Amino acid sequence: MAGVNALQWLTLTRHGESTGNLAYQAVHGTDAEEAGIPERDADVPLSDTGRAQAATLGRWLAELPDDERPTLVVSSPYLRAFDTAQIALAQVADASEILPVRVDERLRDRELGILQGLTARGVQNRYPDEADRLRRLGKFYYRPPGGESWADLALRLRSFYRDLQADAPGGRVLVVAHDAIVVMTRYLVEELTEREVMEIEKEPIGNASVTRWRHDGSGLAPVCYNDCAHLAGVVRPSP
C-alpha cells in the first residue's frame, strides 16, 4: 500500500486493558449471553491496570532514540484509546513538549451492530441464522446487521492511511486504537491474503502491545508484532 509505505516509522498500539475486557473475561466459559457492559462502546473506560499499562507504554516511548520517536500521534475517538494515548504521552516529555493527539473516527473499533455486547453463546442462541451466515461466509466478509465486516474495516483504513501520508509524508506516526485496527493494518501494509490475515487474527493482540514497521528504502518492513516485552512489570495484558 503506497501511502503507508512512504512513512518512515509506523507504530501501532492497542489501548490498555478496559473495563469491557474485564467484563468479557468474567463471563468467559459461563452460560452468559451478554458481557454486561453498561456503556456504549465508545465510552468504555480503561481499568486501573489499563492506566498502568498506558503509563508503561509511555515510558517505553520516552526511551526510544530521537529518530524513532513519533512526530505525529493519531488515536481512535473511543475513550479507552484516547486516554491510553494521553497517559502514555504524559510520560514522554515535559508538558511543553507533549505532542497533541489527533483523533480520527476511522480508527474506531469494528462495529458489531446487533451483536454488540453478546458472547459467542449469546449470538448462537439469539441469532442462530447470523451464526450460520458467519460460518458460511467466513469472518472476513461477514457483516452483522448494523455492523461491519473485516473487509469494511480495510476500506476505511485505506482511506485513513492515504490521508495520513498526505498530512505527514516521511513522518514517524504512532496510532493508538484497537486490536482489529492493528490486525487490518498488517493486512494492508504487508499485502496479506484473506487466509493469512484471518490466521494471524487468531492470536489475541495484547493491551498496550506494540507493532512496528520501519522504512527500509523500498517500503515499510516489519520490526515487531504484538510485542508486550515492555509490559513485563505490569499485570499481564488481557486477551
Side-chain angles (χ1 to χ4, degrees):
M1 186 178 178
V4 182
N5 283 333
L7 298 174
Q8 182 181 358
W9 276 94
L10 177 61
T11 300
L12 269 72
T13 185
R14 183 188 180 194
H15 59 80
E17 181 189 77
S18 72
T19 58
N21 296 146
L22 294 177
Y24 274 103
Q25 287 178 20
V27 300
H28 181 71
T30 73
D31 293 334
E33 295 187 359
E34 297 184 15
I37 300 170
E39 304 91 354
R40 64 173 186 158
D41 197 24
D43 298 329
V44 172
L46 293 173
S47 67
D48 289 343
T49 295
R51 298 181 72 83
Q53 290 169 337
T56 301
L57 173 68
R59 289 189 287 274
W60 174 83
L61 288 170
E63 293 174 358
L64 289 175
D66 289 344
D67 62 356
E68 293 185 23
R69 286 192 189 179
T71 55
L72 177 65
V73 180
V74 192
S75 173
S76 159
Y78 285 13
L79 182 64
R80 55 192 181 274
F82 184 75
D83 281 357
T84 296
Q86 295 278 56
I87 293 168
L89 290 177
Q91 304 293 319
V92 175
D94 64 55
S96 65
E97 298 176 334
I98 294 176
L99 285 173
V101 179
R102 180 186 300 181
V103 170
D104 196 300
E105 73 285 345
R106 290 170 293 184
L107 294 175
R108 70 190 184 278
D109 209 354
R110 187 169 75 94
E111 296 182 355
L112 299 180
I114 64 171
L115 307 185
Q116 185 68 44
L118 298 182
T119 64
R121 182 182 293 272
V123 174
Q124 182 63 57
N125 290 350
R126 298 185 188 186
Y127 300 104
D129 290 346
E130 290 302 317
D132 289 342
R133 196 161 69 91
L134 170 58
R135 284 189 287 269
R136 185 172 66 254
L137 294 177
K139 183 181 289 188
F140 190 81
Y141 290 111
Y142 169 73
R143 179 188 296 124
E148 297 176 294
S149 67
W150 287 81
D152 292 331
L153 181 56
L155 289 175
R156 61 170 154 100
L157 283 178
R158 288 185 192 277
S159 167
F160 166 75
Y161 283 118
R162 280 196 299 269
D163 289 351
L164 181 65
Q165 172 54 28
D167 291 344
R172 304 188 299 270
V173 180
L174 170 66
V175 171
V176 185
H178 308 272
D179 51 356
I181 300 296
V182 176
V183 171
M184 289 309 291
T185 296
R186 184 171 176 186
Y187 168 78
L188 296 176
V189 173
E190 300 178 22
E191 299 182 343
L192 303 177
T193 65
E194 172 194 354
R195 179 174 297 180
E196 288 170 334
V197 74
M198 289 293 95
E199 185 63 30
I200 288 168
E201 190 270 335
K202 293 177 182 177
E203 175 189 350
I205 302 296
N207 294 112
S209 63
V210 170
T211 297
R212 309 184 79 199
W213 294 267
R214 182 180 185 178
H215 204 285
D216 64 358
S218 60
L220 285 181
V223 174
C224 63
Y225 177 69
N226 196 21
D227 186 357
C228 296
H230 57 289
L231 298 168
V234 184
V235 174
R236 185 179 179 83
S238 60

